[in-house]
Amino acid sequence: MESASNKYRLREATSADVPALRDLIARSIRELGVNDYSREQIEGALEGAFGVDTTLIRDQTYFVAVDGAGHIVGCGGWSKRRTLFGGDARSERDDSCLDPKVDAAKIRAFFVDPAHARRGIGRALLRRCENEAARMGFARFELMATLPGVRLYAQCGYIAADPIQHPLVGSITITFVPMTKRRAMASGE
């Protein structure tokens, strides 16, 4: 079992985790996003742009990091479906399947408990997602990064495109950054 360190263990998320995931996502963006987003943007994004996507849980492509006491302290996943970001509340969803020969796997919904930030949890979850997607035949990955997330993804080899302004409730927008990565091929592939 892959772990972020001796203090954390990764496992597949289950439907029983949904309440804890909702709480983690809100706590993570409210504390770790405060230097990049206004409170109004964060609260607006929690109504649709951020949230639990139960399709990832059903597809068994969403993972959690748990501490020694069994508390969920991080989450992240990948998807074989076209929806690039957003939880169940987001109306613009496309659950059609991707073709790994031509499409990029979607890296989705990474959040870490602020008390456990910068301890390798996000990196371990990302590595797990990339490895699982690669086993399913995907050679490319894409994601829609939050501003705090850009730093992690760039350190892990993702290339940023121009930032976008995603509309939220009313006239509020939030800045996201599309990012992509091509999987390094092992010798002999």
Side-chain angles (χ1 to χ4, degrees):
M1 170 91 33
E2 184 177 2
S3 66
S5 73
N6 293 336
K7 297 180 181 181
Y8 305 102
R9 179 177 56 87
L10 301 186
R11 66 166 173 79
E12 271 183 24
T14 69
S15 58
D17 295 326
V18 170
L21 290 168
R22 279 192 196 110
D23 180 59
L24 170 66
I25 291 167
R27 194 170 60 254
S28 177
I29 194 60
R30 283 180 178 138
E31 291 186 41
L32 299 177
V34 74
N35 292 327
D36 295 295
Y37 299 124
S38 71
R39 287 284 175 203
E40 188 177 45
Q41 288 173 309
I42 289 169
E43 296 309 315
L46 283 168
E47 292 181 26
F50 302 142
V52 178
D53 183 342
T54 55
T55 300
L56 297 175
I57 294 172
R58 284 191 303 275
D59 286 347
Q60 299 177 310
T61 60
Y62 202 52
F63 306 98
V64 296
V66 295
D67 65 12
H71 300 115
I72 296 174
V73 296
C75 57
W78 72 276
S79 184
K80 59 185 176 183
R81 300 182 188 279
R82 295 203 180 279
T83 296
L84 183 55
F85 69 96
D88 290 344
R90 188 162 182 260
S91 60
E92 316 84 38
R93 300 175 61 78
D94 182 351
D95 282 341
S96 62
C97 288
L98 299 164
D99 179 351
K101 293 180 182 126
V102 297
D103 296 316
K106 310 302 185 204
I107 301 298
R108 304 273 317 276
F110 275 64
F111 295 93
V112 175
D113 185 309
H116 297 267
R118 290 175 255 317
R119 296 184 188 176
I121 294 170
R123 193 177 295 267
L125 285 162
L126 184 58
R127 190 170 34 254
R128 171 84 178 258
C129 291
E130 289 175 348
N131 289 340
E132 298 259 340
R135 276 196 280 285
M136 297 301 294
F138 288 94
R140 294 181 305 116
F141 314 105
E142 68 180 13
L143 56 87
M144 190 65 74
T146 62
L147 293 177
V150 167
R151 296 179 278 279
L152 166 68
Y153 299 123
Q155 290 173 356
C156 293
Y158 283 78
I159 306 300
D162 291 335
I164 66 150
Q165 294 301 312
H166 178 71
L168 299 173
V169 179
S171 61
I172 304 168
T173 63
I174 190 166
T175 305
F176 291 141
V177 179
M179 300 183 82
T180 59
K181 179 179 177 178
R182 181 170 287 283
R183 180 174 77 94
M185 298 294 205
S187 61
E189 282 190 82

